[in-house]
Amino acid sequence: MKTANSEKLFRRARNVLVGGVNSPVRSFAAVGGSPLFVSRAEGSYVYDADGNRFIDYVASWGPLILGHSHPSVVSAVGKRLPLGTSFGAPCELETDLATLIAKHFPSIEKVRLTNSGTEATMSAIRLARAVTAREHIVKFEGCYHGHSDFLLVKSGSGATTFGNPSSAGVPKSFVNRTLLARYNDIDSVKRLFEKHPRKIAGVIIEPVAGNMGVVTPEKNFLKKLRSTCKKHGAVLIFDEVITGFRLARGGAQKLFGVTPDITCLGKIIGGGLPVGAYGASAEIMQMVSPEGPMYQAGTLSGNPLAMAAGIATVKELNPRTYRRLESLTASLVSGIREITAELGIAATVNSVGSMFTVFFTDQKVTDYAGALGCDTAKYARFFRNLLQNGVMFPPSQFESVFVSTAHTKKQVDQTLQAVYASLREISEGE
Ligand code: KE4
């Protein structure tokens, strides 16, 4: 596979961009080799600077549930562009997207749009603290909620990928009120409430974790978390930046039938443009400026181009879409399980809706420790072999594969052929 142009671009990028990238997980540092520079993308394909074509399952880390350059999105953004890129004033499109969000998330009566998921979760924590007048927060080991200081504690995604789950540069005083629980272990949460009575403002969780790789909530775990928060007067925050509109139009809270107090969204609601959002009941949201005393702002929040892309994306989603996504994903996941069994490679595939992760381990992966215990070197080889076979999975073990509506059954079959070739090479080397 030719990579000379990407390597040349990477050398140039590293002169002026830290690590040559604007987000660490893109750097391929976790999987070896030089990152591929993408020049264009269409449907389920990305094309790199050397003209290589890949069936893409990164999907910009989740936003592109319709695949790349979907005609509806391209048309919507194209129509808005000549009307202006940003006004610093309210625009009807912001109301339109917020209305769509509130329609599909009954727990959300009022929304605030932001520019990223990080801003959404950071603001949601501030809101929980403002509402309860308490200061402690609980997060789960391995979950990643963006890079705000007090949430960079045993975080997943790139923080774990690069071995700094608790980042340098975060003062101890910023994280001494961040308490850690273990995913799928409700007793670890109860113990924190017992140890810190009436101190915990909120609990934030990825209702399906995507940032330690995919880890699904065990039966009733979310229901018990809901009742535990209610019992102790703490706010339950669902970080649905990945799962919102991914698992269902109403996200994981619809799929699992558990209603949080605050919901964070991002990715899909921006259709590939910068976006984030947090929402809750009108009563909770009235704490937010300019209605209430909790300040939060953003120059480009509700940007008309991002709104246009998000609205166009969400409007393409319907129950049939999710049935198709689930069917394609099920074919892919069952095929991968069959291949690993046939080749005698120990692997666990965690999957829900149109997101999944292949872990190389003979154990179940139900929490951060389980994810950390898998063979990340084998994942790196698997990733590189897949690239050689024309398929791009996420360049990190601690991420999720995303299937889009642009993927076809034929491409799933081609992907399984690539998986077989990639894993056979590994099994022959064992
Ligand atoms: P952003 O600030 O990157 O828009 O969103 C932060 C965030 C919040 N919550 C969840 C559940 C998330 O997954 C994310 C961001 N996800 C990572 C990948 N899993 C973004 C990719 C990257 O960091 O480049």
Side-chain angles (χ1 to χ4, degrees), residues 8-20:
K8 188 172 155 212
L9 290 170
F10 189 43
R11 282 194 297 276
R12 186 171 150 238
R14 278 186 302 188
N15 293 330
V16 69
L17 288 168
V18 177

Side-chain angles (χ1 to χ4, degrees), residues 23 25 116-118 144-146 157 206 211 239 241-242 267 399:
S23 203
V25 282
S116 69
T118 293
Y144 176 76
H145 305 288
S157 185
E206 292 180 65
N211 288 294
D239 176 353
V241 167
I242 287 181
K267 296 184 191 273
E399 298 293 350

Side-chain angles (χ1 to χ4, degrees), residues 210-278:
N211 288 294
M212 33 183 146
V214 174
V215 172
T216 54
E218 290 177 339
K219 190 169 167 40
N220 293 327
F221 172 61
L222 294 175
K223 281 189 171 47
K224 289 175 187 168
L225 189 61
R226 171 66 281 178
S227 57
T228 303
C229 286
K230 200 170 182 69
K231 177 183 171 188
H232 294 281
V235 171
L236 177 57
I237 303 167
F238 272 11
D239 176 353
E240 297 223 41
V241 167
I242 287 181
T243 55
F245 292 99
R246 167 63 59 182
L247 299 183
R249 284 185 288 187
Q253 56 196 270
K254 170 119 174 93
L255 193 67
F256 293 98
V258 176
T259 303
D261 299 302
I262 300 174
T263 300
C264 302
L265 296 168
K267 296 184 191 273
I268 289 173
I269 64 165
L273 271 70
V275 76
Y278 60 103

Side-chain angles (χ1 to χ4, degrees), residues 288-306:
V288 180
S289 179
E291 287 183 15
M294 185 207 112
Y295 195 68
Q296 181 270 319
T299 302
L300 296 174
S301 296
N303 174 269
L305 299 186

Side-chain angles (χ1 to χ4, degrees), residues 28-61:
F28 278 26
V31 290
S34 176
L36 299 179
F37 277 60
V38 173
S39 45
R40 69 184 182 91
E42 190 177 349
S44 51
Y45 291 112
V46 293
Y47 300 80
D48 74 7
D50 293 278
N52 299 307
R53 186 187 75 171
F54 304 94
I55 302 175
D56 174 44
Y57 291 96
V58 177
S60 179
W61 306 96

